[in-house]
Amino acid sequence: MNNVLLQEWKTPFQIAPFNSISDDDFTPALDEALARHKAEVAAITEQTEQPDFTNTIEALEATGYDLNRVLGVFFTMVGADSNPVREALQRNFSPKLAAHFSDISGNTALFQRILCVWSKRDDLNLTAEQSRILMLTHRGFVRSGAGLKDTSKNRMKAIKERLAELGTQFSQNLLADEQEWFIKLAKEDLAGLPSFVINAALAAGEEKNAGGPIINLSRSLIVPFLQFSTRRNLRKKAYNAWVKRGANTGKTDNRAIAAKILELRAEQADLLGYKSFAEYKLETEMAKTPKAVRDLLLSVWKPAKARAEADGAVLESMMQADGLTGSLEAWDWRFYSERRRKDLHELDEAKLKPYFQLNRMIEASFSCANRLFDLQFEPITLPLYHQDCRAWSVTRNGKHLAIFIADYFARGSKRSGAWCSAMRSQAKFPTIQTPIIINVCNFAKGDPTLLSYDDARTLFHEFGHALHQILSNVTYESVSGTSVARDFVELPSQLYEHWLTVPEVLKEFATHAETNQPMPPELLNNLLAATNYDMGFQTVEYVASAIIDLAFHDGEAPADPMALETEILKDIGMPHAIRMRHATPNFAHIFAGDGYASGYYSYMWSEMMDEDAFAAFEEANDAFDQDNATALEQNILSRGGSADAEDLYIAFRGHLPDVKALLKGRNLKF
Ligand SMILES: [Zn+2]
């Protein structure tokens, strides 16, 4: 077939030749790749030899090469650089893919072969990784309904296809609401805004051809606007638009979609014999049960809420001192909190910002990886999908390990948030495959681009995920890199954020954009002292979302999720001026797909571990302690999902962490 997506790529490192791919190539390439994948699977079931590890489990691992390549390119582009054509393709592809994969997981002949290998598992002389692959394959098929009777199996297939469509619709509605809304700022509307916010507002206005600065619903623009704008009515207007994404009635409304998704997930769990979707979902996670998740969330909720309420009272009195009456509202919190931060820590975002140049922070993240893991980063030119993308070749002792690509700037065609994905994952079977990893962020572009401290943390966070992929050293792709339990996957990323707080790293890389001077010691100390500032607010907005997520999936599906949300927030005593970090109609983590469904708590679960894991370096009095770095790579970063997460953690640290490390890290009382 003469389709560029299906040809051997004769590019450097066999990266996709983005500059010669057109949107018209995707549909025929996907159809052909699906047909090939189907034929590869059929070849496994049609053979006459008795099932064994090689001809069944390993053979299955080797299928889908073309499909992975096509999807790697497509999902990279639709996430980071979408357009109406790509969005339509995505709507079209998602049920097709869901049907394809449920055909495979529902393939009776294939499942019989897997069962046969599974029953002989103790006599097969498998390596530890092979045993794990066999266990995961068997478990995956059982969990997707391979053992069901035909009627249930058909129903399961229909549910999965419908869920795939609804998830796509949910995220596209959200993107539509985000793209549509903005307000133009007149001169007097700029009151209070530091120059970096004005510049970002101008750049956003230019992209929209608005003829002047605007505020849109991109987190990197609206959050600083809420922090600095002295125009309370505008803050209110922008804030309300932000939290209403996905709930604006009309065709982009996500509320009915959310209800339907929850209903279908509950039915899915029921068909498989689980009490709830949460029971089903958590079975394969480190947490294992809804109870373990609830216990963690509630033990954090109480101290976080107490802290937030005390902080809220202070902010409200500041507001009253400004001559305003009434209660502190959600659109006031960030504004007064920013002012209080300035008072308490002599720290203001505007003063800090020139010290966080994007390019210097990239260097900082590379430098830490060099000191810890001896990695080298060499910039290279590759044909990528957007001019803002940059690429580096990653080597160690002259040996090529991976390609790292970064796409840092916000633009209208990019979905919100930040993520790390693999265009190609590490594997040694059937042939050596080096990873191609991409970090996508939404930083407001500038000249030079300056980050907030939060943005810099995001950069380190996503780079931590990238390291998990780059350092992966397993045999089979299905357990490579970040293919681990959801509540374990944030450990490497959140752990890496800690290196941004190491004073010597900040001293070296947080240099002023104009003077090139390092951050003055008192600013540095203030910054470090303030890293836990407003932790009550941050913990409350996050934990509330995690509690709602768990409630949605544990037990019967709510007929009216919005009503349940209101009821639960009332029950747990949600502070008046704080909202959920993600309101239900824009909670893409749990509705755009099921990856984080009943799994939003994972960040906090991983945080229990990252605090405890970084303490290993603190105990050695050296953030770059080589023994710990080696142990981290050997037991966690190189191992992907090739062993049980709990075992990997214990191998690194000698024990499992508990919630105290987390509360201590957040400076909350326990
Ligand atoms: Zn992450």
Side-chain angles (χ1 to χ4, degrees):
M1 193 180 197
N2 197 19
N3 187 310
V4 61
L5 285 157
L6 295 169
Q7 288 159 4
E8 267 321 306
W9 295 332
K10 297 198 172 71
T11 43
F13 308 99
Q14 292 81 49
I15 190 169
F18 285 101
N19 50 359
S20 45
I21 296 169
S22 98
D23 288 342
D24 297 336
D25 293 324
F26 285 115
T27 300
L30 182 74
D31 289 341
E32 173 63 20
L34 288 173
R36 287 182 191 178
H37 191 215
K38 206 171 162 182
E40 288 157 11
V41 173
I44 298 175
T45 56
E46 282 160 11
Q47 61 190 325
T48 49
E49 285 89 68
Q50 276 299 302
D52 61 25
F53 185 82
T54 309
N55 71 20
T56 302
I57 307 298
E58 204 168 54
L60 201 54
E61 281 286 317
T63 65
Y65 174 76
D66 289 313
L67 185 58
N68 284 344
R69 289 200 314 163
V70 174
L71 294 180
V73 174
F74 180 70
F75 284 113
T76 298
M77 290 170 79
V78 84
D81 195 26
S82 201
N83 60 38
V85 174
R86 289 175 195 161
E87 277 170 38
L89 287 172
Q90 192 188 10
R91 279 194 297 277
N92 194 263
F93 289 175
S94 62
K96 222 189 238 185
L97 286 166
H100 175 78
F101 287 110
S102 67
D103 272 347
I104 294 177
S105 58
N107 183 324
T108 314
L110 184 59
F111 185 54
Q112 287 309 320
R113 290 187 73 91
I114 293 166
L115 273 181
C116 180
V117 184
W118 176 243
S119 68
K120 297 188 287 196
R121 63 189 175 280
D122 294 332
D123 307 319
L124 297 173
N125 238 333
L126 301 178
T127 66
E129 185 175 337
Q130 287 173 332
S131 294
R132 173 109 179 139
I133 295 282
L134 173 57
M135 184 280 283
L136 292 171
T137 307
H138 174 254
R139 189 175 77 180
F141 273 77
V142 170
R143 283 170 55 82
S144 63
L148 293 178
K149 300 234 165 25
D150 278 351
T151 43
S152 306
K153 208 185 258 183
N154 289 336
R155 179 62 191 145
M156 183 66 100
K157 187 174 175 212
I159 290 175
K160 284 184 189 167
E161 283 169 39
R162 187 72 188 119
L163 279 173
E165 282 169 5
L166 289 169
T168 304
Q169 192 63 53
F170 189 96
S171 57
Q172 293 192 348
N173 286 346
L174 195 53
L175 187 61
D177 277 7
E178 282 171 2
Q179 283 176 341
E180 176 157 323
W181 192 94
F182 66 91
I183 32 176
K184 266 189 83 168
L185 299 179
K187 197 152 185 267
E188 64 274 17
D189 298 337
L190 302 175
L193 302 181
S195 61
F196 78 87
V197 183
I198 296 175
N199 289 339
L202 279 167
E206 218 164 277
E207 202 188 324
K208 271 270 181 223
N209 277 324
I214 64 164
I215 290 303
N216 59 28
L217 300 179
S218 161
R219 193 174 268 272
S220 66
L221 189 52
I222 195 158
V223 168
F225 181 76
L226 293 170
Q227 281 174 313
F228 293 105
S229 173
T230 52
R231 301 286 310 271
R232 191 180 190 214
N233 60 334
L234 281 184
R235 290 203 310 262
K236 179 177 176 181
K237 194 172 166 189
Y239 184 84
N240 282 334
W242 192 37
V243 294
K244 272 202 87 183
R245 287 167 302 147
N248 286 311
T249 63
K251 63 181 192 336
T252 59
D253 199 304
N254 273 335
R255 287 172 289 190
I257 294 177
K260 190 70 197 169
I261 288 174
L262 295 175
E263 182 193 318
L264 290 171
R265 283 179 186 159
E267 189 185 346
Q268 195 181 9
D270 183 56
L271 281 172
L272 291 166
Y274 293 85
K275 273 194 284 188
S276 68
F277 185 82
E279 298 256 353
Y280 160 71
K281 191 63 190 297
L282 294 168
E283 180 189 45
T284 58
E285 302 297 307
M286 252 181 114
K288 294 193 177 73
T289 62
K291 183 184 177 304
V293 174
R294 193 172 305 110
D295 286 352
L296 169 68
L297 294 175
L298 292 180
S299 62
V300 178
W301 175 255
K302 261 180 91 176
K305 188 183 147 204
R307 165 64 57 82
E309 278 168 346
D311 288 340
V314 174
L315 301 182
E316 193 168 281
S317 64
M318 289 170 72
M319 187 181 96
Q320 281 156 0
D322 268 359
L324 292 162
T325 49
S327 51
L328 183 80
E329 299 295 339
W331 47 89
D332 299 319
W333 190 291
R334 287 178 174 82
F335 178 76
Y336 286 101
S337 172
E338 179 59 29
R339 226 197 238 180
R340 186 181 178 215
R341 182 163 78 145
K342 227 182 273 181
D343 295 346
L344 277 182
H345 298 287
E346 294 174 53
L347 200 65
D348 79 87
E349 185 86 32
K351 234 202 250 164
L352 206 54
K353 196 126 181 166
Y355 290 98
F356 288 100
Q357 303 176 63
L358 172 64
N359 286 339
R360 296 293 284 152
M361 288 301 112
I362 297 171
E363 284 173 40
S365 67
F366 289 173
S367 160
C368 293
N370 176 263
R371 295 179 65 181
L372 290 163
F373 310 114
D374 201 18
L375 299 180
Q376 247 86 41
F377 296 81
E378 192 66 41
I380 46 167
T381 309
L382 292 172
L384 295 166
Y385 60 88
H386 193 278
Q387 74 227 27
D388 285 345
C389 296
R390 313 184 216 181
W392 292 265
S393 162
V394 189
T395 57
R396 177 153 61 188
N397 301 325
K399 186 176 170 234
H400 176 78
L401 285 185
I403 295 293
F404 174 65
I405 299 167
D407 176 4
Y408 287 121
F409 300 126
R411 54 178 171 267
S413 63
K414 197 187 268 187
R415 71 179 164 85
S416 53
W419 62 95
C420 171
S421 58
M423 287 192 211
R424 184 170 75 208
S425 300
Q426 180 272 332
K428 294 178 203 163
F429 174 86
T431 50
I432 300 274
Q433 189 169 289
T434 55
I436 300 178
I437 306 305
I438 178 162
N439 276 179
V440 184
C441 298
N442 269 289
F443 302 145
K445 199 176 192 170
D447 184 22
T449 294
L450 301 176
L451 305 181
S452 65
Y453 178 66
D454 239 24
D455 290 337
R457 270 181 49 185
T458 300
L459 186 147
F460 269 68
H461 177 103
E462 297 309 332
F463 190 70
H465 284 306
L467 286 175
H468 201 185
Q469 304 263 24
I470 291 167
L471 292 170
S472 177
N473 187 16
V474 299
T475 304
Y476 299 103
E477 183 170 346
S478 67
V479 291
S480 159
T482 52
S483 303
V484 298
R486 182 69 61 172
D487 50 7
F488 187 68
V489 77
E490 299 299 334
L491 167 62
S493 53
Q494 294 183 171
L495 176 58
Y496 207 66
E497 291 176 32
H498 286 266
W499 275 278
L500 179 63
T501 66
V502 172
E504 60 185 286
V505 173
L506 287 170
K507 259 181 227 156
E508 184 175 356
F509 294 99
T511 52
H512 197 280
E514 277 152 31
T515 64
N516 232 349
Q517 291 302 304
M519 196 180 280
E522 66 279 8
L523 189 56
L524 181 69
N525 291 337
N526 292 346
L527 171 68
L528 293 175
T531 46
N532 273 321
Y533 177 65
D534 220 7
M535 213 30 119
F537 171 88
Q538 289 178 40
T539 312
V540 160
E541 63 159 12
Y542 167 82
V543 174
S545 286
I547 288 175
I548 297 291
D549 167 38
L550 186 67
F552 278 171
H553 294 100
D554 191 21
E556 263 173 54
D560 182 353
M562 299 304 293
L564 182 64
E565 178 191 298
T566 310
E567 189 190 316
I568 292 173
L569 293 178
K570 196 165 161 249
D571 273 3
I572 60 175
M574 185 73 171
H576 173 73
I578 307 180
R579 308 269 175 90
M580 291 162 70
R581 184 166 168 93
H582 307 282
T584 299
N586 49 59
F587 204 167
H589 281 83
I590 69 166
F591 290 116
D594 69 2
Y596 279 92
S598 173
Y600 191 63
Y601 75 95
S602 314
Y603 296 96
M604 192 142 268
W605 191 275
S606 293
E607 187 178 322
M608 259 198 311
M609 287 183 282
D610 80 64
E611 289 292 345
D612 182 65
F614 193 69
F617 290 88
E618 290 172 337
E619 286 157 17
N621 278 321
D622 180 4
F624 297 97
D625 177 64
Q626 280 309 301
D627 291 343
N628 275 310
T630 306
L632 180 65
E633 179 178 348
Q634 278 178 356
N635 296 305
I636 293 180
L637 296 176
S638 66
R639 299 292 304 275
S642 66
D644 183 71
E646 208 170 291
D647 296 343
L648 291 179
Y649 191 81
I650 292 172
F652 165 60
R653 193 66 171 113
H655 60 250
L656 281 174
D658 70 17
V659 72
K660 287 198 183 107
L662 181 151
L663 294 176
K664 188 169 161 256
R666 289 194 171 226
N667 206 8
L668 296 170
K669 282 204 185 76
F670 55 89

